[in-house]
Amino acid sequence: MASILTNASALTALQSLSATNKSLEMTQARISTGYRVAEASDNAAYWSIATTMRSDKSSLSVVKDALGLGAGKVDTAYSVTNDTVKIVNLIKDKLVAAVGASAADKAKIQVEITAFQLQLKTAADGAVFSGANWLSVDTTTGQTTPGTHDDAQIVSAFTRNAAGKIALQTIDINVQSVKLYDAFGTATNVEKGILDGLRLATSGVRDNTATAAAGGTVAATDGYAVSTLTVVGFNDTQIQQMLNVVDAAARELTDAATNLGAAKTRIDLQKNATQALMDSIDRGVGQLVDADMNQESTRLQALQVQQQLGIQALSIANSNSQNILALFK
């Protein structure tokens, strides 16, 4: 039936053209943004997953920065501790030279030992990175127990379990075991640092029963600290005890450097693992929401042809009404 009120052909052609235009707009949006799923209306499930994964990647980026900051603190303490071991060994060499030396020679040797002691304190005080110093501390305040330094924590991982609950993991540094000096005035010998804690002359171990030794007199509770020992006025027996003390301190310093080195290695490994995880998230998100540009370019060309054909079909359908006029001539 021919009608001038209802043009069924034109309506059909218009619907087809509208659908083509809609598909064309979608394809053009994918090409311009690069996303197949750019917002929730495109695919709610994929968009939700991708949004959560992007948020987790952002948190992992912060974790990576925290690991970098922690690595700087560990590197600083590690480097100074290594240098400290060398200087303490030099002090040990001077003590060996002091055995059997005259009083005048001991005074000269002490000048060198004092210089080494000052260098140890200067190096420890300067082992600061981002406001943190793990070698020269003051546990008077700010710690759970005064005299004992709390563990330093470095955020190392950000995880989300199957239920969506977030958890943070840390790498803990036992600062109490690596500190060299502690300014806390009433700290016990055991609580003090490796270099300023009094050590029993007999065992070389930091001990709360140790008392400062007096020159020329040997007592069972004689104690020495690497930071304050002096050979002036002390006999050969006491100097040999000092050697025992310095050697024990050197062993503790070696252990401290080992622990810091292990933490350094772990941080480096975790940084690499975090970066690999971030890359994996990028790939996973890309597979969910990225547009296949080869596919979209092919679809664009096809839709452009369909659009042209749709316009042509609509034009033909609209011209059908004009043909009705021929019936009245």
PDB file of all heavy atoms in Angstrom, residues 41 55 64 85 110 140 190 207 266:
ATOM      1  N   SER A  41      29.061   1.579  31.960  1.00  0.00           N
ATOM      2  CA  SER A  41      27.978   1.233  31.038  1.00  0.00           C
ATOM      3  C   SER A  41      28.461   0.368  29.881  1.00  0.00           C
ATOM      4  O   SER A  41      27.672  -0.315  29.234  1.00  0.00           O
ATOM      5  CB  SER A  41      27.337   2.509  30.484  1.00  0.00           C
ATOM      6  OG  SER A  41      28.294   3.304  29.805  1.00  0.00           O
ATOM      7  N   SER A  55      43.476   0.564  41.134  1.00  0.00           N
ATOM      8  CA  SER A  55      43.665   1.083  42.483  1.00  0.00           C
ATOM      9  C   SER A  55      44.772   0.321  43.201  1.00  0.00           C
ATOM     10  O   SER A  55      45.624   0.918  43.874  1.00  0.00           O
ATOM     11  CB  SER A  55      42.354   0.980  43.269  1.00  0.00           C
ATOM     12  OG  SER A  55      42.533   1.378  44.617  1.00  0.00           O
ATOM     13  N   LYS A  64      56.402   0.461  46.282  1.00  0.00           N
ATOM     14  CA  LYS A  64      57.712   0.481  45.620  1.00  0.00           C
ATOM     15  C   LYS A  64      58.517   1.697  46.076  1.00  0.00           C
ATOM     16  O   LYS A  64      59.731   1.607  46.312  1.00  0.00           O
ATOM     17  CB  LYS A  64      57.529   0.495  44.102  1.00  0.00           C
ATOM     18  CG  LYS A  64      58.837   0.393  43.337  1.00  0.00           C
ATOM     19  CD  LYS A  64      58.591   0.424  41.840  1.00  0.00           C
ATOM     20  CE  LYS A  64      59.913   0.412  41.085  1.00  0.00           C
ATOM     21  NZ  LYS A  64      59.717   0.529  39.617  1.00  0.00           N
ATOM     22  N   VAL A  85      83.551  -1.517  61.077  1.00  0.00           N
ATOM     23  CA  VAL A  85      84.309  -2.761  61.279  1.00  0.00           C
ATOM     24  C   VAL A  85      85.787  -2.521  60.980  1.00  0.00           C
ATOM     25  O   VAL A  85      86.683  -2.973  61.730  1.00  0.00           O
ATOM     26  CB  VAL A  85      83.759  -3.888  60.380  1.00  0.00           C
ATOM     27  CG1 VAL A  85      84.655  -5.118  60.452  1.00  0.00           C
ATOM     28  CG2 VAL A  85      82.346  -4.260  60.800  1.00  0.00           C
ATOM     29  N   GLN A 110      97.644   6.106  72.084  1.00  0.00           N
ATOM     30  CA  GLN A 110      96.310   6.547  72.502  1.00  0.00           C
ATOM     31  C   GLN A 110      95.819   7.708  71.661  1.00  0.00           C
ATOM     32  O   GLN A 110      94.606   7.838  71.425  1.00  0.00           O
ATOM     33  CB  GLN A 110      96.320   6.930  73.987  1.00  0.00           C
ATOM     34  CG  GLN A 110      94.951   7.310  74.528  1.00  0.00           C
ATOM     35  CD  GLN A 110      93.932   6.196  74.353  1.00  0.00           C
ATOM     36  OE1 GLN A 110      94.251   5.023  74.559  1.00  0.00           O
ATOM     37  NE2 GLN A 110      92.710   6.541  73.960  1.00  0.00           N
ATOM     38  N   THR A 140      65.552   7.567  74.805  1.00  0.00           N
ATOM     39  CA  THR A 140      64.962   8.161  75.998  1.00  0.00           C
ATOM     40  C   THR A 140      63.448   8.234  75.878  1.00  0.00           C
ATOM     41  O   THR A 140      62.708   7.916  76.813  1.00  0.00           O
ATOM     42  CB  THR A 140      65.528   9.576  76.237  1.00  0.00           C
ATOM     43  OG1 THR A 140      66.953   9.507  76.280  1.00  0.00           O
ATOM     44  CG2 THR A 140      64.993  10.163  77.535  1.00  0.00           C
ATOM     45  N   VAL A 190      73.744  -3.703  78.650  1.00  0.00           N
ATOM     46  CA  VAL A 190      73.143  -4.563  77.636  1.00  0.00           C
ATOM     47  C   VAL A 190      72.285  -3.747  76.678  1.00  0.00           C
ATOM     48  O   VAL A 190      72.223  -4.030  75.471  1.00  0.00           O
ATOM     49  CB  VAL A 190      72.306  -5.674  78.306  1.00  0.00           C
ATOM     50  CG1 VAL A 190      71.524  -6.470  77.267  1.00  0.00           C
ATOM     51  CG2 VAL A 190      73.207  -6.601  79.114  1.00  0.00           C
ATOM     52  N   ASP A 207      77.652  -6.631  79.573  1.00  0.00           N
ATOM     53  CA  ASP A 207      77.106  -7.242  80.785  1.00  0.00           C
ATOM     54  C   ASP A 207      76.794  -6.144  81.796  1.00  0.00           C
ATOM     55  O   ASP A 207      77.595  -5.217  81.985  1.00  0.00           O
ATOM     56  CB  ASP A 207      78.121  -8.232  81.374  1.00  0.00           C
ATOM     57  CG  ASP A 207      77.497  -9.140  82.427  1.00  0.00           C
ATOM     58  OD1 ASP A 207      77.052  -8.613  83.466  1.00  0.00           O
ATOM     59  OD2 ASP A 207      77.464 -10.365  82.205  1.00  0.00           O
ATOM     60  N   ARG A 266      67.010  -8.476  50.479  1.00  0.00           N
ATOM     61  CA  ARG A 266      65.569  -8.766  50.475  1.00  0.00           C
ATOM     62  C   ARG A 266      64.779  -7.588  49.902  1.00  0.00           C
ATOM     63  O   ARG A 266      63.823  -7.780  49.136  1.00  0.00           O
ATOM     64  CB  ARG A 266      65.106  -9.074  51.893  1.00  0.00           C
ATOM     65  CG  ARG A 266      63.638  -9.489  51.953  1.00  0.00           C
ATOM     66  CD  ARG A 266      63.186  -9.778  53.363  1.00  0.00           C
ATOM     67  NE  ARG A 266      61.748 -10.034  53.398  1.00  0.00           N
ATOM     68  CZ  ARG A 266      61.031 -10.122  54.504  1.00  0.00           C
ATOM     69  NH1 ARG A 266      61.613  -9.986  55.682  1.00  0.00           N
ATOM     70  NH2 ARG A 266      59.727 -10.340  54.448  1.00  0.00           N
TER      71      ARG A 266
END
